[in-house]
Amino acid sequence: MLLFALLVCFSPNVLGQLEESQFGDEIDINLEDFDLDIAPRRVPRQVKTILSKETKPHIQELSIKTTIISRYAFTAVYCAMLNRHTAATEGVFQFQIPSGAYVSNFTMIIGGRVYQSEVRPKEKRVKQESGKAKNKEAGDASLVPEVEVFKMAANIPGRNRAIFLLTYEELLERRLGRYEHVTSLRPLQLVSRLSLDVTIVDHSPITDLQVLPLRNGRTSSGSSTNAQKTPAKLDPPITTVIKKENNVCKITFSPNIVQQAKITTNGLLGDFVIRYDVQRDMGIGDIQVLNGHFVHYFAPKDLPVVPKNVVFVIDTSASMLGTKIRQTKDALFTILRDLRPGDRFNFISFSNKIKVWQPNRLVPVTPLNVRDAKKFIFTLATTGGTNIDDAIQMGSSLLREYLSGPDASPNSVSLVIFLTDGRPTVGEVQSTAILGNTRTAVQEKFCIFTIGLGNDVDYRLLERMSLENCGMMRRIHEDADASAMLKGFYDEIGTPLLSDIRINYTQDSVQYVTQHLFTNYFNGSEIVIAGKLTNQSAESLHVQVTASNNDKNIVLETDIPLRHREIETEKHVQAATAAMAEGAKLLGSITDDFVERVWGYLSVKEGLRSRLRSQTSKEREDHIQQATNLSLTYHFLSPVTNLVVEKPEVLADNTMAPAPTIAPAAGEAVSADNDLPGDTEEGKPGRQTSSVSNSIGKVQRRPAKKSITVSKTSADGDPHFVVEFPLSKLTVCFNINGEPGHVLRLVSDHKYSGVTVNGKLIGAPAPSGSHKQQRTYFSTITIVVDRPKRAYIEVTPNKVILDGRDRMVLPCHSTISVDSGVLSVSIVGKSNVTVTVGENIRFVILLHQYKNPAPYQRDHLGFYIGQSKGLSHNCHGLLGQFLYEEVGVAELPADGDMKPSSVLKVKDRSVPVVKKSRRIYSGTQSVDCWFARNNAAKLIDGQYEDYLMSHMFDTGDWAHGTNRV
């Protein structure tokens, strides 16, 4: 099998600029292939001309769905591309993602075949004869790209479609008092159906929501600062719809092909930018708890500003000549006006030589000093090389001497702001030596914030310098508005509110907590901490925040009621799931664990930062291993992993080459986690389970299996039926002893919601000593949907056939999510399949597979109703008929020698029942139920035979027409 790494390009130049098509005479063109969302007669001649000149496969649909839960954003991209030619043609899927985001899944579906990506550890560098690295580690050359361009090329058979599915995740950073979410809309061509849906759900009310006009250029791109002050009243892009209710906000943007052409004809629409904040109270902050993990958001406000001591170190080498130095001066003039009376400051310029404005001191902010500083800035001239080491040494010396003197405030915040546009060329030029000298000079007494201007900067050096000295680095692109971005960066760090922040939690109650010690907190930012709870049964978690503010120390303490907070977080996630745009439902399985994924995301980021700060190769390797293990656990494409996928091959007959056969590794179990406990009790052969271990330091952490949180209403095992009656607070169970080959109607709501579920039985001999003659299991389950258009899903233990927008076959051994428009399917490899219909219907199908089955065992399925609100009150079927019923249990007195008995009152019938216990959810839970004997006689409407269907796609109505007898 040919595998290759997906290109993740770190240069925005990869997009290029397409020239606008020249409008010519109209030519005949059949618009049916383009599948437009407007009538052909409404398409102008110019647009038809552009479409007629397309030689590459045409993008029929580009759908982007984002769900932001408590500032953690999940984005799913669906791209359908049509090859209109008769011969195979290469199609290129290309999408810009924010630099801080991690791709978590990529899938291609071409010619009915599914090509599922896999995250693998990045290979170690291999030295060639030249001494250069054969496999260069991503991020060495430029650690902080503005955007990353995810790019994949694949051959598409003639007259065929390719579907590309991409998901990525990111934690939104708060800057200048707002969060910013950016979606790149640059498909490089006009798209038949383009849509963007963003759903924001937060624990706190959403405030200051703003949708900006489409943003082009690099002035303020995804990873850049919110430098420009955006006027309050700017109209959002055409077709934008905003719906907001306290904690939930939905934003849609769906320009048709004509509206796209009015914006631009080259497909480079720009960035769709959303800014917002959330209402926050004074105190400890917002803590959310879910599935054994917690995340803590801390952003205090209305505090006195802490005075700062700042030294500006500015590159004036020859390469700064022209626009760079002019924009730098403009920014410094503006920054001078923003210095506060309690601040102390100084300026240093450097090239070959070092020039200090006020030698050996930091001066207070007075009108006279500000005027003199402006004169110094105005006279800055560019010449010579770049002596970075001496400049940093001089700036550090000024701060050290001031802090050791009598005028220094004990609680002030001290920082060096260092700007350069080049690499070291004068004095010490070795990065390792410069970094060592900087650490020695700083002595952990202040922070260094670095700014790289342009393309010829050693960003690795600047990143390490800032990380090792409690600062951060910002990149400004060559053709960006440097003046605005410099001022914006200063605004982020120019108002310190707290210093020496320490956040502690109950000892021995948490582990694997991300960074919880912070040198400074700046106004408008946010501190985010995540961790794992060691005792999930604990009633509360004690949280203590200590910090310094101006002349006093601050201590905040509280006890967080864990169970109450978890219930609130669960409601929060349910609200997000309910508000998700149609087509984003496939994100549901990961959004359910968003708190844990925030922890994983932050832990990977922290491991990568620690890797850069490492002083020894052993320490560096440990951090790389930690980040790699976490990336593999959460399927993140990070700087220490690669995403690989089989290369699609089109055969001479215009079909796709078949999938290679991969045998399971020796000793590997096939879904041992989903074996039925009943089978184990009857002598199941022992097996071993293989799982990825997640090493954190010296502790081995294995990812927990996700519990299935659906209703108990199900048909699983031999098959054992369980029906939950929430209104009556009762659970009833029964068996159906069918024959192999029988097709049973499980859910029938064809007339109303348009949904039908059928299950086919397979036989197996009974175990020795069993009272049964044979066993039966569900081997196939079909879900047929008739609204708004017909589609179906057929599930077996090994594959899922989805027939919606396209017919595709999905393997059950891979983890994959696909949205077909009418139906969404999410497969957790070798575990379960979740099928979502519309917004309020969800079914979960468990996959039970055996590697070495006993004679009485067969690979089979378990069917669970996850959500049934979308099914009507007229729903029927062996399970469907009970969804809206109320039942009761009555005790019959003893009669003669007979013991007292129980009867179930259902509809107008009395059904004898006995107490029994059943194992469900692959044996992970036990449920007490009232058991109805004799093939559920009297319990179900009619007879067992009434539920036998002629074939798997039979949607015929219940013979009695109602669920009443």
Side-chain angles (χ1 to χ4, degrees):
M1 177 174 68
L2 177 61
L3 293 174
F4 61 93
L6 296 173
L7 279 175
V8 180
C9 308
F10 289 96
S11 170
N13 295 330
V14 72
L15 288 177
Q17 290 291 323
L18 298 183
E19 294 183 2
E20 290 197 6
S21 303
Q22 299 299 314
F23 295 146
D25 295 332
E26 183 175 2
I27 62 171
D28 241 357
I29 180 172
N30 184 358
L31 294 179
E32 287 185 7
D33 281 346
F34 293 95
D35 198 15
L36 301 175
D37 56 359
I38 61 174
R41 58 184 173 78
R42 295 180 55 199
V43 179
R45 172 180 58 85
Q46 294 93 333
V47 174
K48 290 181 180 178
T49 303
I50 294 170
L51 294 177
S52 70
K53 292 181 178 180
E54 282 185 356
T55 57
K56 300 176 181 178
H58 177 74
I59 300 176
Q60 290 181 316
E61 181 174 358
L62 179 60
S63 170
I64 305 156
K65 317 283 186 184
T66 295
T67 300
I68 305 173
I69 306 179
S70 289
R71 306 129 218 192
Y72 194 68
F74 299 89
T75 298
V77 182
Y78 172 98
C79 178
M81 198 177 289
L82 173 70
N83 176 12
R84 297 184 294 123
H85 308 289
T86 54
T89 304
E90 184 181 73
V92 178
F93 170 74
Q94 189 165 288
F95 196 84
Q96 286 188 6
I97 67 171
S99 63
Y102 289 145
V103 170
S104 52
N105 182 54
F106 177 68
T107 306
M108 297 182 292
I109 304 169
I110 304 175
R113 264 207 63 197
V114 177
Y115 299 86
Q116 177 65 41
S117 67
E118 179 184 353
V119 173
R120 293 183 180 176
K122 184 165 285 185
E123 295 179 11
K124 293 183 179 180
R125 297 183 179 191
V126 180
K127 294 287 185 181
Q128 295 178 315
E129 290 181 6
S130 63
K132 294 183 180 179
K134 183 178 180 181
N135 296 314
K136 189 171 185 179
E137 187 175 298
D140 279 358
S142 177
L143 288 171
V144 187
E146 281 196 347
V147 292
E148 294 176 358
V149 180
F150 187 98
K151 185 176 181 182
M152 179 66 199
N155 280 334
I156 306 173
R159 305 297 301 171
N160 217 315
R161 288 211 313 172
I163 293 173
F164 301 92
L165 304 165
L166 175 72
T167 62
Y168 60 87
E169 305 172 26
E170 63 173 323
L171 179 65
L172 303 185
E173 290 185 39
R174 188 169 183 257
R175 293 175 177 169
L176 301 176
R178 60 194 173 189
Y179 305 97
E180 181 173 283
H181 181 266
V182 180
T183 305
S184 174
L185 298 174
R186 294 175 173 85
L188 301 179
Q189 60 174 258
L190 296 175
V191 178
S192 296
R193 297 188 306 281
L194 173 65
S195 65
L196 169 65
D197 296 272
V198 180
T199 302
I200 306 172
V201 181
D202 209 282
H203 186 253
S204 305
I206 296 167
T207 63
D208 303 325
L209 179 70
Q210 188 179 27
V211 179
L212 305 187
L214 290 171
R215 185 172 70 189
N216 275 292
R218 302 186 179 99
T219 301
S220 185
S221 64
S223 67
S224 304
T225 182
N226 300 327
Q228 294 174 312
K229 295 289 185 182
T230 307
K233 292 186 178 179
L234 280 180
D235 293 331
I238 187 172
T239 78
T240 300
V241 177
I242 302 172
K243 296 179 181 178
K244 181 175 175 291
E245 291 182 12
N246 287 335
N247 301 43
V248 179
C249 179
K250 300 181 75 170
I251 300 156
T252 60
F253 174 61
S254 52
N256 62 37
I257 198 166
V258 177
Q259 292 164 328
Q260 294 170 48
K262 288 180 180 178
I263 300 171
T264 178
T265 56
N266 61 13
L268 299 174
L269 298 174
D271 292 327
F272 191 93
V273 182
I274 300 170
R275 289 177 181 167
Y276 72 97
D277 198 15
V278 298
Q279 184 176 307
R280 59 191 83 242
D281 300 321
M282 290 293 290
I284 211 79
D286 179 19
I287 296 180
Q288 300 190 32
V289 179
L290 191 65
N291 296 339
H293 291 77
F294 74 91
V295 59
H296 183 184
Y297 303 94
F298 181 62
K301 60 177 183 177
D302 301 331
L303 294 171
V305 176
V306 176
K308 61 181 176 293
N309 315 306
V310 56
V311 177
F312 298 90
V313 183
I314 307 300
D315 186 348
T316 56
S317 60
S319 57
M320 288 285 288
L321 179 67
T323 303
K324 291 179 184 177
I325 193 65
R326 188 185 69 249
Q327 291 184 335
T328 300
K329 289 180 179 183
D330 289 343
L332 293 176
F333 288 143
T334 306
I335 288 169
L336 272 173
R337 293 199 299 267
D338 289 347
L339 290 173
R340 294 181 174 83
D343 295 341
R344 296 279 181 143
F345 73 106
N346 204 339
F347 284 94
I348 295 174
S349 68
F350 72 96
S351 54
N352 285 13
K353 298 180 180 180
I354 312 298
K355 293 183 180 179
V356 183
W357 169 51
Q358 296 284 342
N360 304 319
R361 63 183 183 141
L362 267 66
V363 300
V365 178
T366 64
L368 181 61
N369 285 336
V370 169
R371 187 190 67 185
D372 289 348
K374 287 182 178 179
K375 290 180 182 178
F376 176 79
I377 294 169
F378 184 77
T379 58
L380 291 178
T382 57
T383 182
T386 308
N387 192 339
I388 289 178
D389 189 53
D390 283 356
I392 287 289
Q393 296 300 309
M394 179 60 72
S396 300
S397 175
L398 281 174
L399 264 179
R400 276 201 326 273
E401 290 177 11
Y402 172 76
L403 291 174
S404 62
D407 297 332
S409 169
N411 287 328
S412 60
V413 168
S414 301
L415 45 128
V416 171
I417 298 178
F418 176 85
L419 179 144
T420 183
D421 77 329
R423 299 170 182 270
T425 59
V426 177
E428 181 59 69
V429 296
Q430 294 297 320
S431 295
T432 305
I434 293 173
L435 290 169
N437 293 341
T438 302
R439 285 193 300 273
T440 303
V442 171
Q443 298 176 3
E444 298 185 351
K445 294 180 181 295
F446 48 87
C447 301
I448 297 181
F449 294 82
T450 58
I451 304 166
L453 181 58
N455 298 327
D456 190 33
V457 179
D458 187 346
Y459 283 105
R460 184 176 183 83
L461 171 63
L462 296 189
E463 178 83 345
R464 289 196 63 179
M465 185 182 293
S466 59
L467 285 176
E468 290 178 1
N469 298 283
C470 67
M472 58 184 175
M473 188 270 282
R474 187 59 46 81
R475 173 178 182 167
I476 300 177
H477 199 273
E478 192 81 45
D479 58 358
D481 183 350
S483 178
M485 296 188 71
L486 277 170
K487 178 58 173 62
F489 183 55
Y490 174 79
D491 286 344
E492 287 185 49
I493 61 177
T495 310
L497 298 183
L498 295 173
S499 61
D500 300 322
I501 306 103
R502 176 185 293 269
I503 303 179
N504 292 321
Y505 305 92
T506 309
Q507 194 171 2
D508 300 328
S509 291
V510 297
Q511 60 181 349
Y512 309 136
V513 177
T514 58
Q515 180 184 351
H516 61 101
L517 304 175
F518 301 88
T519 307
N520 300 305
Y521 168 76
F522 299 103
N523 187 41
S525 63
E526 183 173 56
I527 290 173
V528 184
I529 305 164
K532 184 178 174 63
L533 299 170
T534 55
N535 182 7
Q536 295 188 45
S537 61
E539 292 185 2
S540 64
L541 178 69
H542 186 73
V543 183
Q544 181 189 66
V545 178
T546 60
S548 297
N549 169 256
N550 215 338
D551 296 331
K552 58 187 176 184
N553 293 325
I554 293 176
V555 179
L556 302 172
E557 290 187 87
T558 191
D559 289 314
I560 302 297
L562 290 176
R563 183 56 192 149
H564 172 73
R565 198 55 59 92
E566 181 156 23
I567 291 171
E568 284 189 350
T569 307
E570 287 171 351
K571 290 179 180 177
H572 180 46
V573 173
Q574 290 167 4
T577 304
M580 277 184 193
E582 200 58 45
K585 300 297 183 181
L586 52 85
L587 291 172
S589 59
I590 53 177
T591 56
D592 287 348
D593 292 307
F594 91 92
V595 175
E596 181 179 350
R597 296 190 75 84
V598 171
W599 173 79
Y601 176 94
L602 289 174
S603 298
V604 171
K605 294 283 185 186
E606 192 170 295
L608 295 174
R609 288 195 300 268
S610 299
R611 172 195 64 163
L612 289 176
R613 291 194 295 260
S614 301
Q615 302 302 312
T616 66
S617 58
K618 168 90 169 54
E619 188 181 350
R620 173 183 166 84
E621 285 302 315
D622 288 344
H623 290 308
I624 290 176
Q625 190 61 51
Q626 173 191 338
T628 300
N629 290 337
L630 284 165
S631 298
L632 295 175
T633 298
Y634 295 102
H635 209 265
F636 287 155
L637 174 59
S638 70
V640 291
T641 55
N642 278 327
L643 204 62
V644 295
V645 67
E646 179 190 352
K647 186 173 183 179
E649 180 185 356
V650 181
L651 302 178
D653 62 356
N654 205 43
T655 62
M656 305 305 296
T661 302
I662 304 176
E668 182 182 355
V670 182
S671 190
D673 308 291
N674 277 335
D675 292 330
L676 292 179
D679 294 337
T680 305
E681 292 165 8
E682 295 178 13
K684 174 185 296 184
R687 290 184 291 282
Q688 294 179 344
T689 306
S690 63
S691 62
V692 179
S693 65
N694 175 15
S695 176
I696 303 179
K698 297 182 179 179
V699 182
Q700 295 293 322
R701 174 186 178 274
R702 292 184 180 273
K705 290 291 174 183
K706 306 304 177 197
S707 58
I708 302 168
T709 53
V710 296
S711 78
K712 301 181 182 70
T713 301
S714 59
D716 206 345
D718 184 15
H720 303 312
F721 287 73
V722 176
V723 178
E724 185 177 21
F725 295 91
L727 296 176
S728 307
K729 297 182 179 179
L730 289 175
T731 303
V732 176
C733 50
F734 59 93
N735 293 345
I736 292 294
N737 297 318
E739 295 294 327
H742 280 181
V743 176
L744 304 184
R745 171 64 48 82
L746 301 177
V747 176
S748 176
D749 200 31
H750 178 71
K751 274 189 176 181
Y752 302 94
S753 66
V755 175
T756 302
V757 182
N758 295 327
K760 186 175 183 179
L761 297 177
I762 187 175
S768 58
S770 173
H771 64 280
K772 295 183 179 181
Q773 293 185 350
Q774 67 174 356
R775 283 182 155 197
T776 52
Y777 305 95
F778 284 116
S779 63
T780 308
I781 289 174
T782 59
I783 300 169
V784 182
V785 178
D786 242 15
R787 294 187 181 86
K789 57 183 179 180
R790 187 175 177 85
Y792 74 84
I793 286 180
E794 181 177 344
V795 182
T796 71
N798 299 309
K799 66 183 178 182
V800 175
I801 299 175
L802 172 61
D803 198 323
R805 274 188 291 218
D806 299 270
R807 188 179 192 277
M808 56 193 79
V809 181
L810 312 175
C812 287
H813 65 264
S814 297
T815 297
I816 181 174
S817 297
V818 177
D819 172 30
S820 73
V822 181
L823 292 165
S824 296
V825 59
S826 180
I827 303 174
V828 177
K830 303 177 184 178
S831 179
N832 62 73
V833 178
T834 300
V835 179
T836 305
V837 185
E839 295 187 1
N840 294 312
I841 302 174
R842 186 173 74 251
F843 305 118
V844 178
I845 300 167
L846 301 192
L847 306 172
H848 301 296
Q849 299 172 322
Y850 304 92
K851 184 181 179 185
N852 299 304
Y856 53 84
Q857 293 172 328
R858 295 287 185 272
D859 288 352
H860 63 281
L861 306 171
F863 175 77
Y864 291 76
I865 297 179
Q867 186 175 357
S868 59
K869 289 181 181 178
L871 296 171
S872 76
H873 283 256
N874 293 298
C875 184
H876 209 266
L878 285 168
L879 291 174
Q881 63 186 293
F882 300 112
L883 293 178
Y884 296 98
E885 290 295 337
E886 292 189 49
V887 298
V889 174
E891 290 290 333
L892 296 181
D895 185 11
D897 295 335
M898 301 291 291
K899 294 181 180 180
S901 59
S902 303
V903 294
L904 182 77
K905 297 291 186 179
V906 54
K907 301 175 186 177
D908 297 323
R909 304 187 291 269
S910 296
V911 185
V913 291
V914 295
K915 270 282 189 182
K916 205 162 188 176
S917 182
R918 277 278 163 83
R919 302 290 292 272
I920 57 175
Y921 307 153
S922 299
T924 59
Q925 290 190 31
S926 180
V927 58
D928 293 328
C929 58
W930 292 100
F931 179 71
R933 298 188 179 93
N934 302 325
N935 245 21
K938 292 188 179 181
L939 175 65
I940 58 176
D941 293 337
Q943 306 298 318
Y944 162 75
E945 289 76 17
D946 297 329
Y947 298 87
L948 297 182
M949 299 295 105
S950 58
H951 56 82
M952 289 297 291
F953 302 95
D954 189 342
T955 58
D957 295 328
W958 164 244
H960 294 269
T962 175
N963 62 347
R964 302 289 179 187
V965 290

